[in-house]
Amino acid sequence: MKTLYFFLLLALGLLTVSNAAAQDAARLTVEPAAISIGALYNGITLTAAGSIPEDSEAIVRFIGATCDLHMKERGKVGGVVWMNLDSITFKGAPSVCLVSSAADFNGLEANGGVSVKLLRLSGLKGAIQVEANGGGHENAVEEFLKLKRKEGLYKELVGNISYESAVEGQKRFRAQVPIPSRLAPGSYMVELAAVRNGEVVARAEQPVDAALVGFPAMLAALAFEHSALYGILATIIALLAGLAIGLIFQSKGAH
Amino acid sequence: MSIPFHLYLPIAGNSVNMLVILALGGGVGLLSGIFGVGGGFLMTPLLIMIGIPPTVAAATDSNQIVGASTSGTLAHFRLGNVDFKMGMLLLVGGVIGGTGGVQIIKILKQLGNADFLINLTYVLMLGIIGSYMFAESLQSMRKPQRDVSTPREKKESLYGLVVRSLPWQMDFKRSGVRVSLLMPLVLGILVGILAAIMGVGGGFIMVPVMVYLLRMPMHVVVGTSLFQILFTCVNVTIMQAWRNHTVDFVLALVLLIGSSIGAQVGAKLGKKLRGDQLKILLASLVLVVMFKMLYELLARPEVLLAYVGGH
């Protein structure tokens, strides 16, 4: 009889754990699954939808691949003029980082835990490495984040995630993420983090590829693979266009 | 309210509003047609302002100047304002000077002070040329108009004597001047060096050089300058596309449509203006750009980082 009780308790325990695990799962789908950059591309709205545990908040990140960025630091020369001075390289910085949440990030962070902070733009400070000669580069990463924010490539968005009522411990969400027009072709990742009390309780991610299509793809292939021909063609077309416009004006002037 | 007509630029890696680009091209082309300057010193900063990477902005601008100066040269050629002989000599000098200037920039970059010297050269050149042209034009506008058929005899300056004593004197009929072959060649070399250091076509330096040092009439200066800029920019466009992949042809073509039309209107408008009026307008423009650059040198930038490649 004791053995029977033991197995019953074990089964109940496993069921509870598996139910809790199911409740702490996160699901994510992304629409469109790939971004086509055609001639008339001017940014798109990417929809990330799925489900998270009902007592958690969704944080959705659209993030680009990391690369090395070579830049110049600006400083004062002779206490008077601002000039480009030291060369500086930023390593491990994503090309794009858009972080979305339904609730205010500071509020989520105030609940305790450090995970939310790591998911925010300020969390990139620890991930980005600086390579430069000499000292005095303490504010370099802060300036880098400022530059990327100015370009619209790093952004924190609040209120672009909506929820539906919870079913069996899970609530559905829908995030509308505005993808910038200044997007380079490449591989991107949509990351979902379900956050409870400032800690991530479930994660999911979906890759999204951005690729040039149509005329931009053709032009980029010519410019990078047959660059001398591209330069000569660009010059000839500019010459002919200038002549054509000149002749149009001449004929108009004749009448 | 944004106008929903955008075009994605594959080399610049950004989407731009076509109407904004057309307007930019038209505005700068108008100035190009009036004054005979390529407009690179205005267009490149404007393109950077709308989000085009600095290296792409500078190279693409050269591409559009090819078209704009073709259209402008044609318009001025029809008006009889192009001195081909003078233009060719300045061009040969410009190519030699430009090649030397590129080497100077390489050495300056190795020394680590290239950007500072480039900016300082800009401010000094723009300041000196702009102030001199402005003062001189203002003076000539204030003077009562004299009968052009009976010019007053002037005592020849030391500069005039030196220029007259140089060997290989030749007539430039279109410009109505007689100077040594060496003059346009040497001046072309000097402008070529400065243009290469400053990363521009050099029109805004060449125009005052032709007016004050070669003493060519203003209307011939404008046409001849455009003719010379055309060849300089053909060379730059091909080199930039081939070596650096920084020419965005789509952007250049849209800019070109605006700037070619602007250049035609400008050439006609320029013909209606007197020489001193043209000079004072160009001087004002040069001084505005100089003050803008000076402000950028002295004011704290919004972000203390810059991409490698832009000045």
Side-chain angles (χ1 to χ4, degrees):
Chain A
M1 195 65 180
K2 276 183 181 175
T3 315
L4 184 67
Y5 277 133
F6 172 76
F7 279 112
L8 272 171
L9 279 171
L10 185 68
L12 194 65
L14 283 171
L15 197 68
T16 310
V17 168
S18 100
N19 194 31
Q23 281 178 359
D24 270 357
R27 288 182 197 88
L28 173 68
T29 55
V30 176
E31 180 67 33
I35 300 169
S36 298
I37 304 174
L40 299 178
Y41 173 80
N42 184 32
I44 57 156
T45 300
L46 187 133
T47 304
S51 61
I52 53 170
E54 66 171 324
D55 54 351
S56 64
E57 284 286 341
I59 293 181
V60 175
R61 300 206 306 174
F62 178 84
I63 198 153
T66 59
C67 57
D68 293 354
L69 269 168
H70 307 285
M71 305 186 97
K72 287 269 186 187
E73 264 191 307
R74 307 199 79 185
K76 242 181 181 177
V77 177
V80 184
V81 289
W82 288 90
M83 302 298 309
N84 291 348
L85 299 172
D86 301 332
S87 294
I88 190 163
T89 302
F90 294 92
K91 293 192 165 192
S95 57
V96 178
C97 186
L98 310 172
V99 192
S100 304
S101 166
D104 179 52
F105 284 101
N106 291 332
L108 291 176
E109 221 177 285
N111 287 337
V114 291
S115 297
V116 174
K117 197 170 185 177
L118 291 174
L119 291 168
R120 296 184 65 179
L121 292 181
S122 52
L124 292 174
K125 283 181 195 171
I128 300 171
Q129 294 152 15
V130 174
E131 266 185 21
N133 292 328
H137 308 288
E138 296 78 20
N139 296 325
V141 175
E142 193 60 59
E143 289 296 321
F144 180 81
L145 295 180
K146 206 193 282 180
L147 177 71
K148 287 287 182 181
R149 276 197 200 100
K150 201 179 151 200
E151 292 175 342
L153 296 175
Y154 284 18
K155 211 182 274 183
E156 283 185 351
L157 303 141
V158 176
N160 60 330
I161 298 180
S162 58
Y163 294 110
E164 290 173 16
S165 31
V167 178
E168 293 175 356
Q170 287 266 308
K171 63 178 176 185
R172 294 195 62 79
F173 72 92
R174 176 177 286 267
Q176 303 278 338
V177 184
I179 305 299
S181 61
R182 192 176 185 158
L183 190 78
S187 297
Y188 296 85
M189 191 65 81
V190 178
E191 298 174 349
L192 165 69
V195 177
R196 187 192 298 135
N197 299 324
E199 295 295 344
V200 177
V201 292
R203 285 180 187 272
E205 57 183 33
Q206 283 288 328
V208 173
D209 285 335
L212 292 175
V213 293
F215 183 66
M218 203 176 72
L219 204 68
L222 187 63
F224 290 101
E225 289 160 27
H226 308 280
S227 51
L229 176 68
Y230 173 81
I232 292 165
L233 282 176
T235 307
I236 291 171
I237 294 170
L239 273 166
L240 292 176
L243 277 172
I245 291 168
L247 290 172
I248 290 166
F249 267 76
Q250 184 185 32
S251 63
K252 277 189 177 174
H255 293 294
Chain B
M1 194 185 78
S2 65
I3 302 161
F5 195 48
H6 287 81
L7 203 62
Y8 184 80
L9 307 170
I11 313 299
N14 203 352
S15 172
V16 290
N17 188 313
M18 265 188 71
L19 296 179
V20 171
I21 299 296
L22 276 172
L24 275 184
V28 177
L30 190 77
L31 298 174
S32 168
I34 295 174
F35 303 119
V37 293
F41 71 109
L42 281 174
M43 184 68 91
T44 304
L46 289 172
L47 288 175
I48 295 168
M49 268 171 59
I50 61 162
I52 306 297
T55 46
V56 177
T60 303
D61 192 27
S62 293
N63 192 191
Q64 79 84 21
I65 292 172
V66 169
S69 53
T70 302
S71 165
T73 304
L74 192 69
H76 281 279
F77 172 69
R78 286 202 299 264
L79 297 168
N81 290 342
V82 184
D83 188 334
F84 288 103
K85 198 157 113 184
M86 186 71 89
M88 285 308 290
L89 286 169
L90 286 166
L91 184 63
V92 170
V95 169
I96 298 167
T99 311
V102 169
Q103 297 307 314
I104 292 171
I105 277 288
K106 268 187 186 170
I107 296 164
L108 289 176
K109 279 193 171 159
Q110 279 165 5
L111 294 172
N113 288 320
D115 288 322
F116 177 72
L117 284 165
I118 287 164
N119 283 294
L120 200 66
T121 311
Y122 252 108
V123 171
L124 286 175
M125 286 304 298
L126 293 171
I128 293 166
I129 292 169
S131 307
Y132 184 77
M133 278 183 82
F134 193 88
E136 199 261 353
S137 317
L138 203 64
Q139 209 176 15
S140 76
M141 282 172 88
R142 279 179 179 167
K143 275 183 191 168
Q145 293 290 307
R146 288 195 304 273
D147 185 359
V148 287
S149 60
T150 55
R152 195 176 62 179
E153 281 296 317
K154 269 172 67 181
K155 194 183 164 190
E156 192 162 28
S157 65
L158 180 67
Y159 172 76
L161 284 170
V162 171
V163 168
R164 274 208 315 132
S165 65
L166 289 171
W168 303 310
Q169 294 282 329
M170 61 165 65
D171 285 316
F172 294 88
K173 282 180 188 160
R174 184 71 69 188
S175 301
V177 293
R178 182 175 170 79
V179 289
S180 163
L181 174 82
L182 294 173
M183 281 293 291
L185 269 179
V186 172
L187 290 172
I189 290 171
L190 291 175
V191 173
I193 291 172
L194 283 172
I197 290 174
M198 295 161 80
V200 291
F204 73 100
I205 314 172
M206 190 59 92
V207 168
V209 160
M210 286 195 255
V211 172
Y212 296 109
L213 300 180
L214 293 172
R215 295 184 175 165
M216 292 162 62
M218 188 63 189
H219 289 106
V220 180
V221 163
V222 173
T224 311
S225 170
L226 281 172
F227 167 74
Q228 187 249 341
I229 286 166
L230 165 62
F231 286 92
T232 309
C233 288
V234 163
N235 179 41
V236 172
T237 301
I238 294 173
M239 293 306 287
Q240 290 279 26
W242 184 25
R243 297 289 184 205
N244 300 327
H245 314 290
T246 46
V247 175
D248 197 308
F249 174 63
V250 177
L251 175 61
L253 198 64
V254 181
L255 281 172
L256 175 61
I257 293 167
S259 67
S260 298
I261 295 167
Q264 290 288 335
V265 177
K268 284 188 166 64
L269 202 65
K271 192 75 180 165
K272 288 179 185 166
L273 294 168
R274 292 205 316 269
D276 49 5
Q277 287 174 326
L278 276 175
K279 272 192 265 181
I280 205 159
L281 283 173
L282 179 59
S284 307
L285 188 67
V286 167
L287 285 174
V288 166
V289 177
M290 189 275 286
F291 281 118
K292 185 189 163 280
M293 293 204 71
L294 194 62
Y295 175 77
E296 280 172 2
L297 281 176
L298 299 175
R300 190 183 196 280
E302 196 183 335
V303 181
L304 298 178
L305 284 173
Y307 286 101
V308 176
H311 288 333

